[in-house]
Amino acid sequence: QMAGKAALISGRTVAKVGVVAVVLLAALLYRPLPAGMMSDSSDRIAMHVVEPLLRLFYTYPTALCGDAQCSLNWARGVMSWVGLLNGPFFNYDGKLHMRNRLWNDVKVRIYYPRDNSTVESDGAIVFIHGGGYAVGSTEEYEGLTKTMANMMSTRLFVSIDYRLAPETFFPGALEDCEKVLEYIIENGKAIYGVDPRKIVLMGDSAGGNAVAAITQRRRERKAVPKILGQVLLYPLLQLSDVQTYSYRQHKRELSGLAFIDPLTSVHYHLWYAGIDMNAHPEYARAALTNGHVNEAAKKLRDELMDYSVLPAEFRNDVGGTDLPVPTQPNKELMAQIGPFLTNPDFAPFMRRDLSNLPSALVVTCEYDVLRDEGAIYAHRLKKAGVTTQWSHYKHGVHGMFNFPKLKITQDALNEIKDWTMTLLLAD
């Protein structure tokens, strides 16, 4: 009996210690979220859980890494687990066939209906995932792409597993995506019943960069058939100004939180440009102050980046940490990155002529360093005569599409579905 009582007391003690440890850890990790982030209470609770976990297992460990490659490897591992936990548990769906394929030597994940009687359009949707061209995969995006494929009543939904940097530099990712697109155009009709004139490209973050670049490249070479539509989800479109209002807002409201941060964004994009970030870790810090921008890039940026078109609330400088960081030029970095900054294939925002591009849906979020460039690009598309819808999610955050169960994400996905199906059915 004495032994049983001792064991019971010991068990209670361990439980109490465990509770205290959890409370202390929660207190240590707690950071207040911006008041406007996530209007739905369940979404906000979810973010209060997800954000500190990402900080604990993603942000803090990468800060302890000795070099850029270590940080990248850790980030890839964590994002892989996040994708697995947030995606479907079984490789089966009652409405869809889901298959991995190799098209023109590029891995893709395809979804197509088990019952063609449910199909409303013989079009196809091609999705290009984000991740700064350095992280991400079709597996990690399965939760999102499977959800979207179920929502779209089309013949085919394709998710592209393009090659990543630093193993593959620019323009390798674009070329992979174009190979997949050509495969669909050439074979989609015979195999899946897809009308090649009804293809909509979608992409988030770096994937939005790829979508914008591919549609521009096809227009430049007068490729046929034309892409029917483009959906840009908080797209990364330029690297000539990382002191936009939304970049500065991150410093003011999101610093220390585990959402997309300017340093990581710059780091990945410099790697995509073929710059050895292990050898030059100082480059990313210099770029954060626009110390990488040469005169040619600055001139083009000032010509195209019209901040006056942004809503007044976007441009509401409050001083202090919201003021731009003084430029710290790095001439070596300027010489290496300069040609990329003005290359529209790398930075689609820098294409002067945006006319005759596919109809566009541009989605931006309030809590996102990429907010301003997406909003200005949507304005420029409209001004160039492109049928464009800009949808801004005031309570949204970059990365929310990786959590398709959030109410705000579901609302956005329904809007994307309605816009896409309206376009496909009208053609």
Side-chain angles (χ1 to χ4, degrees):
Q1 289 181 344
M2 292 296 290
K5 288 182 179 179
L8 181 60
I9 293 172
S10 177
R12 288 175 176 172
T13 302
V14 170
K16 289 179 180 178
V17 171
V19 170
V20 171
V22 169
V23 171
L24 289 175
L25 181 62
L28 180 65
L29 290 175
Y30 175 76
R31 297 286 188 278
L33 297 176
M37 184 181 290
M38 302 295 165
S39 58
D40 181 79
S41 59
S42 62
D43 284 1
R44 192 164 176 84
I45 291 171
M47 281 296 101
H48 270 299
V49 173
V50 169
E51 189 280 324
L53 288 176
L54 283 175
R55 200 160 9 101
L56 178 62
F57 293 106
Y58 174 73
T59 307
Y60 294 159
T62 55
L64 297 175
C65 276
D67 57 41
Q69 187 65 57
C70 169
S71 297
L72 178 61
N73 291 341
W74 184 269
R76 286 176 173 177
V78 171
M79 295 310 295
S80 179
W81 277 104
V82 170
L84 288 174
L85 293 173
N86 205 36
F89 290 100
F90 302 102
N91 189 24
Y92 176 81
D93 186 276
K95 296 180 181 179
L96 297 171
H97 291 292
M98 304 188 295
R99 302 283 188 268
N100 291 326
R101 293 288 184 263
L102 198 65
W103 288 354
N104 288 339
D105 297 321
V106 181
K107 180 185 172 185
V108 296
R109 179 74 163 163
I110 64 171
Y111 310 82
Y112 56 98
R114 293 179 178 273
D115 182 1
N116 279 332
S117 66
T118 64
V119 173
E120 295 182 61
S121 169
D122 57 355
I125 296 168
V126 179
F127 184 85
I128 307 174
H129 69 76
Y133 287 116
V135 300
S137 68
T138 53
E139 288 84 1
E140 292 165 29
Y141 270 76
E142 177 90 321
L144 173 62
T145 53
K146 179 173 175 286
T147 298
M148 296 180 78
N150 263 312
M151 295 176 71
M152 305 291 181
S153 302
T154 59
R155 291 280 186 183
L156 185 65
F157 189 104
V158 182
S159 178
I160 304 178
D161 215 355
Y162 56 84
R163 293 169 295 168
L164 301 175
E167 293 83 0
T168 301
F169 301 138
F170 167 84
L174 286 184
E175 292 171 347
D176 285 355
C177 294
E178 289 177 330
K179 286 180 181 179
V180 170
L181 187 57
E182 289 305 316
Y183 183 93
I184 298 170
I185 291 172
E186 294 172 6
N187 302 284
K189 183 71 173 178
I191 302 175
Y192 302 101
V194 169
D195 185 339
R197 299 168 301 173
K198 299 179 182 179
I199 296 176
V200 175
L201 298 184
M202 295 183 181
D204 73 308
S205 196
N209 175 291
V211 170
I214 290 168
T215 56
Q216 292 180 12
R217 282 157 65 99
R218 288 183 64 83
R219 186 205 63 181
E220 288 300 292
R221 63 175 185 264
K222 297 180 173 58
V224 291
K226 295 181 178 179
I227 299 300
L228 182 62
Q230 55 178 319
V231 178
L232 311 179
L233 310 177
Y234 37 65
L236 192 167
L237 298 168
Q238 58 87 37
L239 198 66
S240 292
D241 192 359
V242 291
Q243 287 290 309
T244 64
Y245 291 101
S246 50
Y247 270 99
R248 288 181 249 160
Q249 181 202 40
H250 182 282
K251 183 177 181 181
R252 188 174 69 247
E253 299 188 44
L254 297 175
S255 183
L257 297 175
F259 301 109
I260 181 175
D261 66 280
L263 183 62
T264 298
S265 177
V266 166
H267 212 112
Y268 288 171
H269 226 50
L270 292 179
W271 231 335
Y272 177 53
I275 295 174
D276 186 348
M277 298 309 295
N278 273 329
H280 297 284
E282 74 280 6
Y283 282 179
R285 292 289 178 185
L288 286 180
T289 68
N290 283 344
H292 64 302
V293 185
N294 61 21
E295 285 303 314
K298 184 179 184 298
K299 181 179 179 181
L300 184 59
R301 179 195 71 194
D302 292 345
E303 174 188 337
L304 301 178
M305 190 79 80
D306 183 3
Y307 292 108
S308 69
V309 305
L310 294 175
E313 58 268 27
F314 285 17
R315 296 178 279 114
N316 184 27
D317 267 345
V318 295
T321 58
D322 196 39
L323 294 174
V325 177
T327 300
Q328 299 172 9
N330 186 306
K331 293 183 179 180
E332 290 183 356
L333 177 57
M334 283 183 181
Q336 291 186 53
I337 196 66
F340 293 92
L341 298 181
T342 55
N343 183 347
D345 292 348
F346 182 86
F349 190 97
M350 296 304 164
R351 177 89 59 187
R352 281 192 173 91
D353 179 12
L354 299 182
S355 63
N356 298 314
L357 291 172
S359 297
L361 170 63
V362 182
V363 176
T364 58
C365 295
E366 178 67 17
Y367 299 99
D368 179 13
V369 297
L370 307 179
R371 179 197 67 190
D372 293 354
E373 59 200 73
I376 298 173
Y377 191 70
H379 175 84
R380 290 184 57 212
L381 286 170
K382 285 183 181 180
K383 189 175 180 181
V386 177
T387 302
T388 305
Q389 178 176 319
W390 172 46
S391 296
H392 180 65
Y393 284 81
K394 185 177 180 180
H395 305 288
V397 62
H398 191 97
M400 71 181 195
F401 285 102
N402 293 94
F403 300 91
K405 293 181 176 60
L406 292 175
K407 184 180 183 302
I408 192 170
T409 306
Q410 292 173 0
D411 291 343
L413 289 175
N414 280 320
E415 181 179 26
I416 294 165
K417 178 201 71 174
D418 291 343
W419 184 91
T420 304
M421 293 309 300
T422 298
L423 183 67
L424 286 169
L425 294 174
D427 189 64

